[in-house]
Amino acid sequence: MVVGLGGAAGDAAAAPAAALIHAPLSVEPAPIPRPAFESALAAARDFNALAASVAADHAWLEATLAPAAAAGDAFTARLLALRRGTARTPPTDLALAVTRADFMAHAPTGALLQVELNTIASSFGCLGGCASALHAASAARAGWGADALARLPPNTAKASIAAALAAGAAASGLGREGVILFVVQPGERNAYDQAALAEQLWAAHGLVTVRATLEEVAAKGRLEGSGGDGPAEDPRAPPGGRPARVLTYDGVPVAVAYLRAGYGPGDYPSEAAWAGRALLERSTAAVCPTAAWQLAGSKKVQQALAGAGVTEAFLAGAPGASPASVAASAARVRSHYAGLWSLDAADHVSAASPDGRAALAALLRDAAARPGAFVLKPQREGGGNNTYGPALGAAAAKAAASLEAGGDGGLGAFILMQRIEPPSHGATLVRGGVASDGPVPCVSELGIFGAWLGRGGDGEGGPPPPPLLNEPAGHLVRTKPAGADEGGVAAGFAVLSSPYLVG
Ligand code: ADP
Ligand code: MG
């Protein structure tokens, strides 16, 4: 099983430049209750529809995220500005998304709770599929019976994600004339997960992939057919119609821009990188994802969606929603919500707490007293950003004191989340070719990929049209030692695994 991640986080520089290393993996699959797996799978289309509906509501995104941006989150502020400055035009512009909803079981209740919904650079579909195949092959070799083998679900992630990108290419009007542009990080360490997808795009769809960083997009990208700003136009416009804003890279038309970078501030080392992102956003390529979709996957949005009636309202306004389906859809989604709290006093206003300060201070005093029951999260992706345990307790106590003294607490750019307590299971972890000394206590996180393709931009001009694609798109299990707070594979905390369905 391939490769390319370097060793654990931090020692990539020490690895020989030309060497490959296997991705970290678990020898055994991870036990996942079958009802939980099926419930997460059944909610995949709902989570996609919800995010699409949020992404289309620019006014709500502004109202929800601008306070967090103003509270010191320059990256979110920049993404909001990007979306504002490059508004994609309904009904022609395409929004393509490869999502991954991440879950962990909460042992005290047995509920499968959502950790987060990723709407940008949802990775490890292909290497996760390798883990599934490896576990199935070794189980067969070990002589597992038919019942046990049937507990290893086939993983369609590679085929499904490639099919989604191909659908984007077809809808772009360019089809096989256009390439799929993989937008990657400089010195990308997860290139092999992406390479398998590029192979699949060629083998199954005859589509060519080109890789570029955001800075390279700025240097070699052009919008053909019209200059300057203004609304994007339909590349399928009839001859003689207004020229389209087709993105070209190095002179080659781009059907799909697939971002595997751009999710964190480190991906924008220069203004050129932001210019590259804006070029994508202004083009008629199927952008995966648009800035609006990226914002719809932010932690603050996740927290706001948990508010009374908010999920229901967005599902009711989702592309293709029918009134009859909304309640069931909302129930599927809400059954996976963990406790989520805003840390902006304005969201805690009540008769008892007219400016919200006292109510928020009480919440933070509770978090300070029980720091193990919560996670403190900024608006960041990519792992390693959250605060846990004693550091969370100290931050909560400081914020509470600030609020009690009439300040704003200073945590408005963060959210507070219930800490999920996943059940422990044994797993033998292999990193850098070295296996742990037998199974060690571990916990596992289940990811369900989803694929979405739709048209429509800002929710004006009537209900959005039904999506062109809304499907589950495979799964991923990541396993980490029971004591570890964080969970990223690329970040060096977790290893790849696959589900073994129990019950
Ligand atoms: P990121 O966008 O950086 O991946 P996540 O919200 O996924 O942020 O958090 C990173 C990791 O931290 C998760 O993969 C998970 O292992 C752990 N984590 C996040 N939220 C919780 C939670 N509420 N309870 C327990 N662990 C969590
Ligand atoms: Mg995550």
Side-chain angles (χ1 to χ4, degrees):
M1 175 173 153
V2 278
V3 319
L5 283 169
D11 67 359
L20 293 178
I21 194 161
H22 69 89
L25 63 106
S26 167
V27 172
E28 310 86 356
I32 305 276
R34 187 185 287 274
F37 182 81
E38 287 173 352
S39 161
L41 201 58
R45 290 185 186 85
D46 306 300
F47 280 118
N48 278 351
L50 184 57
S53 188
V54 169
D57 192 337
H58 296 170
W60 186 86
L61 280 175
E62 288 286 340
T64 304
L65 290 170
D73 187 347
F75 183 64
T76 300
R78 194 77 202 249
L79 283 175
L80 282 171
L82 172 73
R83 197 222 51 74
R84 237 178 269 136
T86 55
R88 294 174 67 80
T89 308
T92 54
D93 278 5
L94 292 165
L96 177 60
V98 174
T99 59
R100 199 188 69 218
D102 290 335
F103 306 88
M104 290 196 295
H106 186 54
T109 61
L112 186 74
L113 298 182
Q114 185 178 40
V115 175
E116 65 160 342
L117 177 70
N118 298 285
T119 56
I120 180 167
S122 307
S123 58
F124 290 112
C126 293
L127 291 186
C130 290
S132 291
L134 175 79
H135 288 152
S138 49
R141 286 285 289 269
W144 286 21
D147 172 68
L149 289 174
R151 294 173 183 276
L152 300 172
N155 193 344
T156 66
K158 181 168 79 172
S160 298
I161 296 169
L165 299 181
S172 77
L174 292 171
R176 291 162 104 181
E177 303 279 305
V179 296
I180 313 290
L181 181 69
F182 278 35
V183 180
V184 299
Q185 295 177 324
E188 176 69 58
R189 291 171 78 218
N190 203 5
Y192 290 88
D193 186 49
Q194 299 158 3
L197 196 56
E199 281 296 317
Q200 178 75 9
L201 282 164
W202 173 248
H205 304 284
L207 288 164
V208 172
T209 298
V210 173
R211 298 167 63 81
T213 63
L214 285 169
E215 288 183 338
E216 287 168 339
V217 169
K220 298 186 192 171
R222 298 279 178 277
L223 294 185
E224 303 281 332
S226 78
D229 293 328
E233 293 152 28
D234 190 345
R236 303 156 309 152
R242 292 167 70 200
R245 300 170 127 238
V246 173
L247 176 70
T248 62
Y249 181 77
D250 228 358
V252 180
V254 173
V256 175
Y258 174 50
L259 284 105
R260 292 290 294 254
Y263 52 81
D267 290 346
Y268 300 86
S270 64
E271 281 304 307
W274 283 108
R277 181 76 194 268
L279 198 64
L280 303 179
E281 195 77 10
R282 289 209 307 268
S283 78
T284 52
V287 183
C288 181
T290 63
W293 260 88
Q294 180 173 354
L295 290 164
S298 63
K299 311 284 191 280
K300 183 70 197 172
V301 165
Q302 180 186 7
Q303 172 258 306
L305 286 172
V310 183
T311 285
E312 290 71 11
F314 278 111
L315 285 171
S322 77
S325 69
V326 170
S329 182
R332 281 192 294 272
V333 162
R334 280 200 181 270
S335 71
H336 296 289
Y337 282 0
L340 290 152
W341 298 272
S342 167
L343 295 179
D344 182 344
D347 293 331
H348 293 268
V349 170
S350 68
S353 178
D355 64 5
R357 282 195 176 89
L360 178 55
L363 169 65
L364 287 162
R365 286 285 171 211
D366 183 32
R370 303 184 297 130
F374 301 92
V375 181
L376 181 64
K377 296 188 171 190
Q379 313 304 310
R380 285 291 173 277
E381 303 295 327
N385 302 304
N386 301 335
T387 303
Y388 306 83
L392 181 153
K398 186 174 166 215
S402 156
L403 288 156
E404 285 155 2
D408 68 3
L411 292 179
F414 294 73
I415 65 159
L416 191 67
M417 185 171 183
Q418 167 194 357
R419 179 148 191 175
I420 307 167
E421 298 166 32
S424 171
H425 63 88
T428 308
L429 309 183
V430 192
R431 290 192 180 93
V434 180
S436 58
D437 194 11
V440 295
C442 286
V443 298
S444 287
E445 188 165 344
L446 172 68
I448 301 287
F449 289 98
W452 170 278
L453 178 66
R455 289 189 190 275
D458 59 8
E460 289 169 6
L468 304 172
L469 177 74
N470 183 15
E471 294 293 338
H475 56 263
L476 169 72
V477 171
R478 291 171 298 167
T479 294
K480 63 179 181 178
D485 289 328
E486 284 283 337
V489 175
F493 304 108
V495 308
L496 299 172
S497 190
S498 75
Y500 176 80
L501 302 180
V502 294

